[in-house]
Amino acid sequence: MTQRTVPTDRPSDRQMSSDRQAIDRRAALGVIGGAAIAGLASTAGGSMTSAVGRAGLTPEQLGWDPKKAEYVLPPLPYDYAALEPAIDAETMRIHHGRHHAGYVRGMNEALEQMHAIRWEKSDPGTLEHWQRELSFNAGGHVNHTLFWLGMRAPREGNRPGGALAEAIQEDFGSVDKFMWHFTEASAGVEGSGWGWLVYEPIAGRLMISQMHNQQQMLFAGAVPLLGVDVWEHAYYLKYQNRRKAYLEAWWSVVDWDAIGGRFAAATGA
């Protein structure tokens, strides 16, 4: 039996830094997609097919800083009070500035630790731990980025239109039935998690899925279109334990133009 030789010439810190700086725009999404975060991405034949990318997210929207070779918290596209009265400014300030920021920090730490393991600078026995940390924290980062970019100032009678509305009509019977189904599924998430409207590309149909925590239960290949955060930190200051009241108010701030754009990107329309 041929014994494998373990290399002893470990790279210098300078080489590691140079390697990290070489990550480009495509790899910035690949870091997330390659980790199969939240079931939103998959790899095949050495090439990545990212459901995150198909939903229309760019490295810039995800906060990728090529100079630092790490992620930073992306700014909101509106001020903290923009979604009132559906979501109050203080909730938005805490949710974005503390909770989302914490996921970005956790993701960067996991990526750094996994990078060190790759270059034999850290214990490979910890790899499974850091993969779990990456899945959870990067899932939180992607979920929140999609959440923020899928909302705008409240509108009365807020409803989808165009091709997305036609697909909802076909797959759910009506927009009202879809909204009822989505509200009930999201309200029924056990503990902390998300409600998602996704596009399933094999069958070519829309589906509603529950997610536990930041990454569990959303099936591989599903393209995220519309997500609502039902962790308590998303609504408790204003709604306390009345999750369904929060969801009913949230419909007024959904940016259907943005969601329709994600649907078009997912379907190639």
Side-chain angles (χ1 to χ4, degrees), residues 5 68 73 87 90 129-130 154 198 251 255:
T5 301
K68 295 181 178 180
L73 179 66
I87 305 177
E90 186 62 14
H129 166 75
W130 291 113
V198 303
W251 285 114
D255 186 347

Side-chain angles (χ1 to χ4, degrees), residues 209-249:
S209 180
Q210 294 174 319
M211 175 187 283
H212 289 176
N213 295 322
Q214 297 292 356
Q215 81 282 31
Q216 297 170 357
M217 289 182 61
L218 191 62
F219 55 92
V223 181
L225 302 178
L226 173 67
V228 62
D229 191 343
V230 292
W231 287 64
E232 286 189 344
H233 62 243
Y235 61 87
Y236 204 84
L237 287 182
K238 182 177 177 68
Y239 297 96
Q240 288 79 52
N241 65 333
R242 295 177 294 120
R243 180 186 282 183
K244 188 170 286 189
Y246 154 69
L247 291 167
E248 289 169 352

Side-chain angles (χ1 to χ4, degrees), residues 45-69:
S47 63
M48 182 190 70
T49 302
S50 172
V52 172
R54 292 186 67 185
L57 283 183
T58 66
E60 290 80 10
Q61 288 173 325
L62 285 167
W64 176 249
D65 187 331
K67 293 182 179 179
K68 295 181 178 180

Side-chain angles (χ1 to χ4, degrees), residues 77-88:
Y78 37 72
D79 64 44
Y80 288 133
L83 305 182
E84 290 187 341
I87 305 177
D88 60 285

Side-chain angles (χ1 to χ4, degrees), residues 6 74 81 98 151 178 183 261:
V6 178
R98 297 184 189 177
M151 296 187 292
F178 154 70
T183 298

Side-chain angles (χ1 to χ4, degrees), residues 32-200:
I32 288 183
I37 288 165
L40 300 182
S42 61
T43 57
S47 63
M48 182 190 70
T49 302
S50 172
V52 172
R54 292 186 67 185
L57 283 183
T58 66
E60 290 80 10
Q61 288 173 325
L62 285 167
W64 176 249
D65 187 331
K67 293 182 179 179
K68 295 181 178 180
E70 65 179 23
Y71 290 89
V72 298
L73 179 66
L76 293 179
Y78 37 72
D79 64 44
Y80 288 133
L83 305 182
E84 290 187 341
I87 305 177
D88 60 285
E90 186 62 14
T91 293
M92 290 293 293
R93 184 175 292 106
I94 295 171
H95 195 172
H96 176 257
R98 297 184 189 177
H99 291 280
H100 188 177
Y103 294 124
V104 174
R105 288 193 299 271
M107 176 175 62
N108 283 329
E109 181 181 9
L111 289 170
E112 186 67 30
Q113 292 297 326
M114 292 174 72
H115 186 79
I117 292 169
R118 172 188 176 187
W119 287 108
E120 301 177 67
K121 293 281 188 176
S122 188
D123 179 9
T126 65
L127 181 60
E128 184 176 355
H129 166 75
W130 291 113
Q131 285 179 326
R132 286 196 301 266
E133 288 293 299
L134 178 62
S135 178
F136 176 76
N137 285 288
H141 175 44
V142 172
N143 294 337
H144 282 88
T145 301
L146 288 167
F147 183 51
W148 308 134
L149 296 177
M151 296 187 292
R152 64 183 176 193
R155 292 187 178 184
E156 291 186 10
N158 197 24
R159 292 291 188 276
L164 176 59
E166 294 174 4
I168 288 174
Q169 177 75 31
E170 180 177 350
D171 291 336
F172 296 96
S174 70
V175 171
D176 286 339
K177 287 184 66 177
F178 154 70
M179 293 175 69
W180 171 83
H181 185 174
F182 188 97
T183 298
E184 292 297 319
S186 302
V189 171
E190 294 181 354
S192 301
W194 295 73
W196 284 100
L197 171 67
V198 303
Y199 177 71
E200 201 286 286

